[in-house]
Amino acid sequence: MKKFFVLLIAITLTSSSCFAWGWKKKDTPKVDTSKVEVQPDGKGYVGTLPDVSKNFKTSEPQKTKPMYEESKNFNSSQEIKPVPRDNPAFVNIILKEDKRSPYVNELNADVIPQLENLLLCIEKKLDVQKFNAKVFFFTQTVEYMQNEYEGKPEINFISFKKLQELSNHSKAVATLRQEAEQYKPYLAYTGAGYLYNENTINQQLDYLKTEIEETIVILKEAK
């Protein structure tokens, strides 16, 4: 028993001397956790990244200059040259002066539209009053042109002579229709009354319609 206590005392003295000579257990190094962030969902470490932008230089956009020189007095009347209207080349090429004669312009602006309306009136079989009104305006236009171009070359044109013929024909048909409205209730369909029956009127309207169509073609070809 004495030997056991002696051995225990010896072991105690030996371990004390070891600590005395510096044989003690090294402390575990501490980690600075002030700069460490931990994701709450366990995705890992999130730290502070180093600033790498200082190693790169951004390129500044360069301003380009226009290839032309600015004119300060562009809107000035002194900088704008007048239009050379006295130059035949400018008038004929740039302005493209209308080379059609007043006669042709009158045909396109007045006569042809009137004939087209008269043609439409026949096709739609409008009443006598509307038909006669359109015929009246057309015949008045032709009469005006006869006075306007009397003694001039235009009266010898085929288109001009065709207008005169059509004016006389349309006036005759208008008179026939007007008389038929007045006299047919009192006349039989034999003898003189035959001229005013419906078949004769429609036949005359068909002849007039064909003549109007031919005249329109001739007038559109006039130069």
Side-chain angles (χ1 to χ4, degrees):
M1 192 66 176
K2 292 181 179 180
K3 292 181 180 181
F4 176 74
F5 285 109
V6 172
L7 181 59
L8 182 60
I9 293 171
I11 293 173
T12 303
L13 294 175
T14 303
S15 59
S16 299
S17 61
C18 290
F19 281 106
W21 290 93
W23 294 353
K24 60 180 178 180
K25 188 177 179 180
K26 295 182 179 180
D27 295 334
T28 303
K30 297 182 179 181
V31 179
D32 186 6
T33 60
S34 62
K35 297 183 179 181
V36 178
E37 299 178 5
V38 180
Q39 296 285 0
D41 54 357
K43 291 185 179 180
Y45 158 77
V46 178
T48 303
L49 297 177
D51 185 11
V52 297
S53 61
K54 61 183 179 179
N55 296 326
F56 298 93
K57 294 182 179 180
T58 58
S59 59
E60 295 293 336
Q62 298 181 355
K63 296 181 180 180
T64 59
K65 296 183 178 180
M67 300 295 294
Y68 56 87
E69 296 181 359
E70 181 181 2
S71 178
K72 296 181 180 180
N73 298 324
F74 179 78
N75 294 324
S76 175
S77 58
Q78 299 177 356
E79 295 292 328
I80 302 176
K81 296 182 179 180
V83 175
R85 295 186 180 274
D86 56 344
N87 188 343
F90 177 81
V91 174
N92 295 331
I93 298 175
I94 305 301
L95 296 184
K96 295 182 179 180
E97 184 179 9
D98 191 1
K99 297 181 180 180
R100 295 180 300 181
S101 65
Y103 170 74
V104 175
N105 289 333
E106 193 170 1
L107 293 180
N108 289 287
D110 299 327
V111 181
I112 292 178
Q114 290 183 18
L115 292 180
E116 290 175 343
N117 290 332
L118 183 57
L119 183 64
L120 187 63
C121 179
I122 297 175
E123 291 175 347
K124 290 187 174 182
K125 297 180 179 181
L126 299 182
D127 56 44
V128 178
Q129 286 75 17
K130 293 180 180 178
F131 172 80
N132 286 1
K134 295 183 183 300
V135 170
F136 174 77
F137 285 114
F138 167 65
T139 56
Q140 289 296 309
T141 301
V142 175
E143 184 176 350
Y144 167 79
M145 293 179 66
Q146 288 175 344
N147 296 329
E148 182 182 8
Y149 294 103
E150 184 178 3
K152 298 180 181 179
E154 284 80 1
I155 62 174
N156 297 318
F157 292 171
I158 296 177
S159 58
F160 194 88
K161 293 181 178 180
K162 189 66 176 177
L163 280 177
Q164 291 177 320
E165 294 175 1
L166 181 59
S167 177
N168 294 331
H169 188 186
S170 60
K171 187 184 297 185
V173 175
T175 301
L176 180 64
R177 293 193 69 181
Q178 184 66 34
E179 292 177 350
E181 289 291 318
Q182 295 176 358
Y183 302 136
K184 71 180 179 181
Y186 311 104
L187 298 174
Y189 290 113
T190 59
Y194 177 77
L195 296 174
Y196 301 110
N197 66 32
E198 186 176 357
N199 291 333
T200 303
I201 298 296
N202 291 334
Q203 189 179 33
Q204 293 299 319
L205 288 174
D206 289 338
Y207 292 153
L208 181 61
K209 177 177 177 293
T210 301
E211 189 175 0
I212 292 174
E213 292 173 342
E214 294 175 354
T215 304
I216 291 176
V217 174
I218 294 175
L219 296 183
K220 288 184 176 180
E221 293 178 352
K223 297 180 180 179

